[in-house]
Amino acid sequence: MNKKAIQWLYNEMPRLVAQGVLTPEVESRLREHYGPVEATRPVRLAVLIFSIFGALLIGAGIILVLAHNWEELSRPVRGVLSFLPLLLAQVLGAWALIMRPQSRAWREGVGSLIFLMVGASISLVAQTYNISGDLPRFVLTLSLLGLPLAYLFDAVVPALLYLWGITQWACYLRCENGFCAGYWVLVLLLLPRIAQWLRSGRYQARPTILLWALCVSVSVAAGVTIERVLPGLWIILYAGLFALMFLAGEYWFRDAEGFWSRPLRHFGAAGVLVLSFLLTFEWPWHEIGWHHWYGDRLHDTLWRALPDAVLGCVVPIAALILLVTAVRRKTPLGLLFGPVPILAVLGYALSSITETYALAAGLFDLYLLVAGLWLLVTGLQVNKQGQMNVGLLAVTALFVARFFDSDLTFLLRGLIFIALGIAFLVTNLFMLRRKGANHE
């Protein structure tokens, strides 16, 4: 039971004892069983947001003030002014750590301000002294210099800016045909910060926000860091990645409440369904496998294909290990979304060996249909409207995609769309009436 549920129970027990529902002995035993709940100081979301927003505005304003008549100043004056905002921001940060160590709003705001001032100082110094450089190097330098702020101020915004920076760096290098597998080493530098937040409270806001950002960053990086010398490997990689996210969310965050408190679970499930829908078409299965090896892309540097081999093996294997755990624990949704890497490998083998695309696409047609119907039926059974709508949406998307692939008349397509729309309305009205009856 999470801390919120225990706190709710503790708040309810005096009333239940007064009404005779519980005895004082039972109340004492329950408190002894669950233990004390540490009181946490509430953080006003509005104060936190406006402090971060204010820091961003201050940083932008300082940059604009310095830009005014910048070219008319002498080089020594420009050099001093380049470091002055960063120095003032650091002084403010030291004051916040000493005088306001418990204020999360101060830590977040000052950490964001220093991060921006680091970037501004680097840019101004480079412009003043004509230091050559490129955008990927600047982004990487800024990210590495800003990473310690996440640890020093115990703040999530510098961590988010760091994630954004290393992701942009990897994308920039990919556009320039550079080797960007170093992203995975850089993202490991943030794991101690995430682990500490998870230990202090895995369902709190900071780790939850960072896990959402990490899901997006890793999903982008998985596609840009591989060299794609083996066509179609991305199918297995993304199938394993999304399944791993979902299974990890089911295993470590199963007691979370609400949509936003389950980033791994929901992002992984959405990724599995979207990827499965894309794989119902034949175009992803064209010209994949060893017969279409792009060895000439490497220019005799075979080591650049190492991320492909590592990610293409480690990620799906890790997902399969968690799948075994889901089978042992008999987790229904884990058994539904977990086998996707197996289906991806099977479809990859069918398409690369036999050059038959319809079999692999048909395999995911069947999977998406089964998954959608299962989510629809179980959502109706357990009164989960969101799960029901996801299942109905998956089935509808599958039917719509196949209808456009076929030679049906516009009249028949229109009638089918009307029928699907009626199905959406009827099932949701039925669910709302059932919830209303249960509430009454």
Side-chain angles (χ1 to χ4, degrees):
M1 186 180 295
N2 57 41
K3 291 183 179 180
K4 290 184 179 179
I6 296 174
Q7 187 63 53
W8 175 85
L9 179 62
Y10 285 176
N11 294 334
E12 289 291 316
M13 282 195 295
R15 181 177 61 85
L16 296 176
V17 172
Q19 295 176 355
V21 178
L22 295 178
T23 63
E25 292 77 10
V26 173
E27 179 188 11
S28 177
R29 292 177 62 185
L30 286 173
R31 292 183 182 275
E32 182 180 356
H33 174 73
Y34 288 109
V37 179
E38 296 180 0
T40 56
R41 184 180 180 181
V43 179
R44 294 183 179 180
L45 182 61
V47 175
L48 187 61
I49 293 176
F50 282 114
S51 65
I52 298 172
F53 186 65
L56 297 178
L57 290 178
I58 291 173
I62 292 174
I63 295 174
L64 292 176
V65 169
L66 293 178
H68 180 65
N69 296 328
W70 181 256
E71 296 296 335
E72 299 179 1
L73 301 175
S74 63
R75 180 171 292 183
V77 173
R78 281 185 287 174
V80 173
L81 292 179
S82 298
F83 288 102
L84 184 60
L86 177 59
L87 180 61
L88 294 177
Q90 290 175 335
V91 171
L92 183 61
W95 178 87
L97 290 176
I98 297 173
M99 305 301 297
R100 296 290 189 273
Q102 302 300 325
S103 175
R104 188 177 301 177
W106 270 103
R107 296 199 308 268
E108 295 287 349
V110 173
S112 306
L113 178 62
I114 296 178
F115 199 109
L116 293 178
M117 291 302 97
V118 170
S121 296
I122 295 174
S123 302
L124 292 174
V125 170
Q127 191 272 339
T128 300
Y129 295 97
N130 297 321
I131 301 175
S132 61
D134 51 17
L135 186 57
R137 187 180 303 175
F138 166 75
V139 173
L140 179 60
T141 303
L142 173 60
S143 301
L144 291 175
L145 291 176
L147 175 62
L149 298 173
Y151 290 89
L152 179 62
F153 290 95
D154 195 24
V156 68
V157 175
L160 295 176
L161 293 174
Y162 174 77
L163 265 182
W164 168 83
I166 61 176
T167 307
Q168 290 293 321
W169 170 77
C171 293
Y172 290 145
L173 280 188
R174 169 54 57 190
C175 294
E176 298 176 358
N177 198 27
F179 185 68
C180 53
Y183 165 89
W184 301 105
V185 178
L186 295 173
V187 80
L188 289 177
L189 300 178
L190 194 58
L191 291 187
R193 176 77 285 173
I194 302 176
Q196 184 178 0
W197 283 341
L198 290 176
R199 285 195 299 267
S200 62
R202 67 179 64 185
Y203 305 120
Q204 294 181 359
R206 287 182 297 177
T208 301
I209 293 173
L210 196 55
L211 284 177
W212 276 109
L214 187 63
C215 288
V216 176
S217 177
V218 169
S219 299
V220 173
V224 302
T225 56
I226 59 175
E227 294 293 329
R228 295 184 290 275
V229 294
L230 185 61
L233 183 64
W234 65 271
I235 297 174
I236 300 175
L237 173 58
Y238 273 104
L241 178 63
F242 292 137
L244 179 62
M245 287 181 182
F246 179 84
L247 293 170
E250 280 286 288
Y251 187 79
W252 284 291
F253 301 90
R254 59 184 178 274
D255 295 330
E257 299 176 357
F259 176 84
W260 294 107
S261 58
R262 298 179 174 181
L264 294 175
R265 184 178 186 271
H266 289 106
F267 197 95
V272 166
L273 293 177
V274 173
L275 179 66
S276 300
F277 174 73
L278 295 176
L279 296 180
T280 60
F281 296 93
E282 293 188 4
W283 60 263
W285 307 103
H286 289 185
E287 297 183 353
I288 65 175
W290 294 102
H291 297 293
H292 304 280
W293 167 263
Y294 292 154
D296 55 336
R297 285 185 177 181
L298 299 181
H299 304 293
D300 299 326
T301 54
L302 191 60
W303 60 271
R304 291 187 62 171
L306 184 61
D308 300 47
V310 174
L311 293 175
C313 294
V314 172
V315 173
I317 290 175
L320 293 178
I321 292 173
L322 286 182
L323 176 60
V324 173
T325 304
V327 171
R328 291 177 178 176
R329 301 174 66 177
K330 297 181 180 179
T331 307
L333 289 176
L335 298 177
L336 181 67
F337 292 109
V340 174
I342 301 176
L343 300 179
V345 172
L346 181 58
Y348 190 89
L350 290 173
S351 297
S352 60
I353 296 175
T354 64
E355 297 291 338
T356 302
Y357 314 129
L359 291 177
L363 181 65
F364 278 89
D365 276 326
L366 179 61
Y367 169 76
L368 192 61
L369 178 62
V370 172
L373 291 176
W374 191 91
L375 292 172
L376 173 60
V377 173
T378 55
L380 288 170
Q381 292 176 347
V382 299
N383 290 335
K384 290 186 177 180
Q385 191 172 5
Q387 181 174 320
M388 178 202 69
N389 282 324
V390 169
L392 189 56
L393 183 62
V395 175
T396 302
L398 179 61
F399 275 104
V400 170
R402 298 292 77 79
F403 290 152
F404 280 109
D405 289 342
S406 60
D407 296 328
L408 299 177
T409 62
F410 286 103
L411 177 61
L412 184 57
R413 291 179 180 177
L415 293 175
I416 293 174
F417 285 162
I418 293 174
L420 292 174
I422 293 174
F424 263 104
L425 294 175
V426 170
T427 52
N428 279 277
L429 288 175
F430 173 76
M431 182 67 71
L432 290 174
R433 288 185 178 181
R434 177 187 287 184
K435 286 186 175 181
N438 292 338
H439 179 70
E440 292 178 1

